[in-house]
Amino acid sequence: MAVGFFPPPAQAPFALVDANNFYVSCERVFDYRLRDRPVVVLSNNDGCCVARSEEAKALGIRMGQPFFEVRDLLERNRGVALSSNYTLYADMSRRLMTIIGQFSPAQEIYSIDESFLRFAGFEHWDLTQQGRELRARVLQGIGLPVGVGIGATKTLAKLANRLAKKHPDFRAEGVCNLLDVPAERQAGYLADLAVEDVWGIGGRWGAKLRKLDIATVADLQRADVARLQRQFNVVLAKTVLELNGLSCLPLEEAPPPRQQIIASRSFGLPVTRFDLLSEAVASHAARAAAKLRQAGLRAGLIQVFIATNPFQPEAPQYHPGATVPLSLPTADTTRLLRAARVGLRHIYREGYAYKKAGVVLLDLAPVGAVTGDLFAATRVGTNVTGPITDRTRPGTDARRERLMAVMDGINNRWGRGTVRYLAEGLAQPWQMRRARMSPRYTTCWEELPVASCFRGAREDQGGGQLAPGAPGAGHL
């Protein structure tokens, strides 16, 4: 097969725009004291490092490494550890995708910090300059550094993005357009990249490919497509075609229909009481219901699960789950809370210290595809414990839909949980531990950043560790 990156005339090139160290970069936008210092963002309950600055990577801190293993290392190097601030990251992601989308009408939001673009109709444009302008616009608009990779296919755009962020030839500018790179240099770059660097090739496939003497991206590009399809599958065969400039992966401008909605969290402390466990399950069910309505869907099943801590094998272990069918697909929080409580009662057992709980909404269908209820006065559904009856009156559904819309509107404007059901609890002592969380700078009035002329005045004197969430922690 002939090797080449330049697309045929009818094939428009792709770009992948990816924020650098997204969680850390979001934090640095609002706190200048984090610049040029080792910074890590921690997972739920401040357990592991899930994001690292370049300075933290240089210290040898690994992705997923437990925080207790690097605490002293960070303190010795004036490092900072922050709890995950999901509210901030989600809002910054929304702003990022809005700016990226201004550079092409064809956009696929691939993850919280990655977006594909397709430059159809841009044949006479300088795409490298477009990448520079995009990067500058994002940096000016929201302060996030991004890498831009441009290639004939999505797989090549992914590799170009990696080169833009890692390779010395592109790192300073942050843009790599493989379409502008001579073939000889392209071959050299791909020969230096490990086969595991290809989009979709993980460690397991990488090990198998190396046994076939395919160790680099260039090796994979030259591999026999039919042979790989026989030995692996059609996905890998398409990857090889993509590496050779033949686009096999279209841009998904509309997200595929959701198959399920999950809401779960680990607890900050072990939970043994049913009432506290019920509060947590209700909170997860309410959050999942809001996501359901936002997506314009209804759920026909709700699954409830609880679990003890698998990392304490010496303690009694119990990881049950229960699925409750709903008599009619719904996005009504009240009905979902009721069904979730039924499922929880069925699986709860005393004598266990539970570490996690959650709900999964299944059998999802668009609102317009849900068939009405012939027997609106009395609806009967079967669940894990037997039949339950949901009695309603004519007009109730419309009123409850309006109520849900009002609650969603309030929570969207003033923050999640501003209005919530009493079943979710008030104090919520089971909430996950986030002792190092920064302010929600962009979504909470009480935590807006404040301009100050006293630069550095609020930095502590012991090891340089900041105090996230403390007064002044969000000052610029």
Side-chain angles (χ1 to χ4, degrees), residues 8 10 107 113 119 160 167 169 172 215 245 266 283 296 315 354 358 377 388 400 434 440:
Q107 178 185 21
D113 65 336
F119 293 119
H167 200 281
D169 290 353
S266 297
S283 179
Y354 297 100
I388 57 172
R400 294 206 60 79
R434 288 192 288 180
R440 296 162 295 177

mmCIF file of all heavy atoms in Angstrom, residues 8 10 107 113 119 160 167 169 172 215 245 266 283 296 315 354 358 377 388 400 434 440:
data_model
loop_
_atom_site.group_PDB
_atom_site.id
_atom_site.type_symbol
_atom_site.label_atom_id
_atom_site.label_comp_id
_atom_site.label_asym_id
_atom_site.label_seq_id
_atom_site.Cartn_x
_atom_site.Cartn_y
_atom_site.Cartn_z
ATOM 1 N N PRO A 8 -7.023 12.908 -0.664
ATOM 2 C CA PRO A 8 -7.525 13.151 -2.017
ATOM 3 C C PRO A 8 -8.404 14.388 -2.017
ATOM 4 O O PRO A 8 -8.836 14.865 -0.966
ATOM 5 C CB PRO A 8 -8.343 11.889 -2.311
ATOM 6 C CG PRO A 8 -8.653 11.298 -0.987
ATOM 7 C CD PRO A 8 -7.524 11.656 -0.101
ATOM 8 N N ALA A 10 -11.438 15.131 -2.506
ATOM 9 C CA ALA A 10 -12.764 15.116 -1.886
ATOM 10 C C ALA A 10 -12.703 14.897 -0.386
ATOM 11 O O ALA A 10 -13.725 14.898 0.268
ATOM 12 C CB ALA A 10 -13.620 14.028 -2.531
ATOM 13 N N GLN A 107 -17.906 19.895 14.178
ATOM 14 C CA GLN A 107 -17.180 19.678 15.431
ATOM 15 C C GLN A 107 -17.693 18.426 16.114
ATOM 16 O O GLN A 107 -18.899 18.185 16.191
ATOM 17 C CB GLN A 107 -17.329 20.879 16.370
ATOM 18 C CG GLN A 107 -16.627 20.710 17.719
ATOM 19 C CD GLN A 107 -16.911 21.871 18.670
ATOM 20 O OE1 GLN A 107 -17.899 22.593 18.511
ATOM 21 N NE2 GLN A 107 -16.057 22.065 19.659
ATOM 22 N N ASP A 113 -11.936 17.594 27.406
ATOM 23 C CA ASP A 113 -10.927 18.557 26.983
ATOM 24 C C ASP A 113 -10.434 18.319 25.556
ATOM 25 O O ASP A 113 -9.430 18.893 25.150
ATOM 26 C CB ASP A 113 -9.738 18.539 27.943
ATOM 27 C CG ASP A 113 -8.996 17.205 27.929
ATOM 28 O OD1 ASP A 113 -9.606 16.198 27.569
ATOM 29 O OD2 ASP A 113 -7.807 17.181 28.291
ATOM 30 N N PHE A 119 -12.175 20.371 8.420
ATOM 31 C CA PHE A 119 -12.042 21.589 7.631
ATOM 32 C C PHE A 119 -12.534 21.379 6.201
ATOM 33 O O PHE A 119 -11.782 21.524 5.237
ATOM 34 C CB PHE A 119 -10.590 22.067 7.641
ATOM 35 C CG PHE A 119 -10.126 22.542 8.985
ATOM 36 C CD1 PHE A 119 -9.074 21.916 9.636
ATOM 37 C CD2 PHE A 119 -10.746 23.606 9.609
ATOM 38 C CE1 PHE A 119 -8.642 22.349 10.875
ATOM 39 C CE2 PHE A 119 -10.329 24.053 10.849
ATOM 40 C CZ PHE A 119 -9.276 23.422 11.491
ATOM 41 N N ALA A 160 -0.681 13.947 15.348
ATOM 42 C CA ALA A 160 -0.162 15.302 15.178
ATOM 43 C C ALA A 160 -0.314 16.103 16.465
ATOM 44 O O ALA A 160 0.566 16.894 16.834
ATOM 45 C CB ALA A 160 -0.891 15.997 14.031
ATOM 46 N N HIS A 167 6.848 17.013 20.933
ATOM 47 C CA HIS A 167 8.061 17.044 20.121
ATOM 48 C C HIS A 167 8.697 18.436 20.130
ATOM 49 O O HIS A 167 7.993 19.446 19.996
ATOM 50 C CB HIS A 167 7.745 16.627 18.680
ATOM 51 C CG HIS A 167 8.953 16.177 17.926
ATOM 52 N ND1 HIS A 167 9.863 17.063 17.383
ATOM 53 C CD2 HIS A 167 9.426 14.928 17.636
ATOM 54 C CE1 HIS A 167 10.825 16.400 16.778
ATOM 55 N NE2 HIS A 167 10.586 15.102 16.916
ATOM 56 N N ASP A 169 10.208 20.058 17.902
ATOM 57 C CA ASP A 169 9.990 20.835 16.679
ATOM 58 C C ASP A 169 8.673 21.608 16.695
ATOM 59 O O ASP A 169 8.520 22.576 15.934
ATOM 60 C CB ASP A 169 9.998 19.905 15.462
ATOM 61 C CG ASP A 169 11.375 19.345 15.159
ATOM 62 O OD1 ASP A 169 12.350 19.778 15.819
ATOM 63 O OD2 ASP A 169 11.484 18.464 14.285
ATOM 64 N N ALA A 172 6.995 24.477 21.125
ATOM 65 C CA ALA A 172 6.962 25.912 21.434
ATOM 66 C C ALA A 172 5.734 26.577 20.832
ATOM 67 O O ALA A 172 5.095 27.430 21.457
ATOM 68 C CB ALA A 172 8.237 26.579 20.930
ATOM 69 N N ALA A 215 6.716 -2.336 16.253
ATOM 70 C CA ALA A 215 7.041 -1.637 17.496
ATOM 71 C C ALA A 215 6.800 -0.138 17.415
ATOM 72 O O ALA A 215 6.645 0.517 18.441
ATOM 73 C CB ALA A 215 8.504 -1.892 17.879
ATOM 74 N N GLY A 245 -3.644 7.652 5.484
ATOM 75 C CA GLY A 245 -4.335 8.790 4.899
ATOM 76 C C GLY A 245 -5.719 8.518 4.377
ATOM 77 O O GLY A 245 -6.341 9.413 3.777
ATOM 78 N N SER A 266 -17.907 7.567 45.773
ATOM 79 C CA SER A 266 -17.404 6.923 46.980
ATOM 80 C C SER A 266 -17.679 7.830 48.168
ATOM 81 O O SER A 266 -17.702 9.055 48.036
ATOM 82 C CB SER A 266 -15.899 6.657 46.860
ATOM 83 O OG SER A 266 -15.624 5.767 45.803
ATOM 84 N N SER A 283 -29.682 11.079 46.495
ATOM 85 C CA SER A 283 -28.928 12.165 45.876
ATOM 86 C C SER A 283 -28.430 11.767 44.494
ATOM 87 O O SER A 283 -28.518 12.537 43.531
ATOM 88 C CB SER A 283 -27.750 12.550 46.770
ATOM 89 O OG SER A 283 -26.985 13.585 46.189
ATOM 90 N N GLY A 296 -33.267 14.864 27.243
ATOM 91 C CA GLY A 296 -34.551 14.630 26.596
ATOM 92 C C GLY A 296 -34.935 13.170 26.554
ATOM 93 O O GLY A 296 -35.552 12.701 25.595
ATOM 94 N N ALA A 315 -11.962 -6.821 55.889
ATOM 95 C CA ALA A 315 -13.311 -6.483 56.337
ATOM 96 C C ALA A 315 -14.338 -7.302 55.550
ATOM 97 O O ALA A 315 -14.086 -7.725 54.421
ATOM 98 C CB ALA A 315 -13.561 -4.989 56.146
ATOM 99 N N TYR A 354 -20.266 0.320 54.242
ATOM 100 C CA TYR A 354 -20.360 0.593 52.806
ATOM 101 C C TYR A 354 -19.490 1.788 52.435
ATOM 102 O O TYR A 354 -19.452 2.795 53.141
ATOM 103 C CB TYR A 354 -21.808 0.846 52.409
ATOM 104 C CG TYR A 354 -22.694 -0.358 52.637
ATOM 105 C CD1 TYR A 354 -23.519 -0.448 53.769
ATOM 106 C CD2 TYR A 354 -22.694 -1.419 51.749
ATOM 107 C CE1 TYR A 354 -24.317 -1.554 53.985
ATOM 108 C CE2 TYR A 354 -23.491 -2.531 51.950
ATOM 109 C CZ TYR A 354 -24.293 -2.598 53.079
ATOM 110 O OH TYR A 354 -25.089 -3.702 53.292
ATOM 111 N N GLY A 358 -24.576 3.918 44.258
ATOM 112 C CA GLY A 358 -24.877 4.598 43.007
ATOM 113 C C GLY A 358 -26.131 4.062 42.366
ATOM 114 O O GLY A 358 -26.718 3.071 42.823
ATOM 115 N N ALA A 377 -55.046 6.276 35.775
ATOM 116 C CA ALA A 377 -55.462 6.397 37.174
ATOM 117 C C ALA A 377 -54.696 5.457 38.083
ATOM 118 O O ALA A 377 -54.417 5.779 39.228
ATOM 119 C CB ALA A 377 -56.948 6.131 37.292
ATOM 120 N N ILE A 388 -45.743 -2.802 42.734
ATOM 121 C CA ILE A 388 -46.016 -1.547 43.429
ATOM 122 C C ILE A 388 -47.040 -0.787 42.605
ATOM 123 O O ILE A 388 -47.126 -0.927 41.386
ATOM 124 C CB ILE A 388 -44.743 -0.694 43.616
ATOM 125 C CG1 ILE A 388 -44.083 -0.417 42.256
ATOM 126 C CG2 ILE A 388 -43.759 -1.355 44.529
ATOM 127 C CD1 ILE A 388 -42.954 0.576 42.353
ATOM 128 N N ARG A 400 -46.251 17.871 37.010
ATOM 129 C CA ARG A 400 -44.965 17.427 37.533
ATOM 130 C C ARG A 400 -43.833 17.756 36.552
ATOM 131 O O ARG A 400 -42.716 18.066 36.974
ATOM 132 C CB ARG A 400 -44.993 15.923 37.823
ATOM 133 C CG ARG A 400 -45.952 15.556 38.962
ATOM 134 C CD ARG A 400 -45.511 14.275 39.635
ATOM 135 N NE ARG A 400 -44.172 14.397 40.204
ATOM 136 C CZ ARG A 400 -43.908 14.999 41.365
ATOM 137 N NH1 ARG A 400 -44.878 15.564 42.066
ATOM 138 N NH2 ARG A 400 -42.678 15.048 41.806
ATOM 139 N N ARG A 434 -13.236 16.093 50.038
ATOM 140 C CA ARG A 434 -12.492 16.982 49.130
ATOM 141 C C ARG A 434 -11.958 18.150 49.952
ATOM 142 O O ARG A 434 -12.410 19.287 49.832
ATOM 143 C CB ARG A 434 -13.390 17.462 47.987
ATOM 144 C CG ARG A 434 -13.715 16.380 46.984
ATOM 145 C CD ARG A 434 -14.347 16.916 45.731
ATOM 146 N NE ARG A 434 -15.717 17.356 45.962
ATOM 147 C CZ ARG A 434 -16.493 17.869 45.004
ATOM 148 N NH1 ARG A 434 -16.015 18.026 43.781
ATOM 149 N NH2 ARG A 434 -17.731 18.225 45.261
ATOM 150 N N ARG A 440 -15.244 27.438 43.319
ATOM 151 C CA ARG A 440 -15.930 27.287 42.026
ATOM 152 C C ARG A 440 -16.001 28.675 41.396
ATOM 153 O O ARG A 440 -17.028 29.335 41.408
ATOM 154 C CB ARG A 440 -17.312 26.691 42.243
ATOM 155 C CG ARG A 440 -17.284 25.276 42.813
ATOM 156 C CD ARG A 440 -18.604 24.887 43.402
ATOM 157 N NE ARG A 440 -18.931 25.704 44.564
ATOM 158 C CZ ARG A 440 -20.069 25.621 45.252
ATOM 159 N NH1 ARG A 440 -20.999 24.765 44.887
ATOM 160 N NH2 ARG A 440 -20.280 26.401 46.294
#
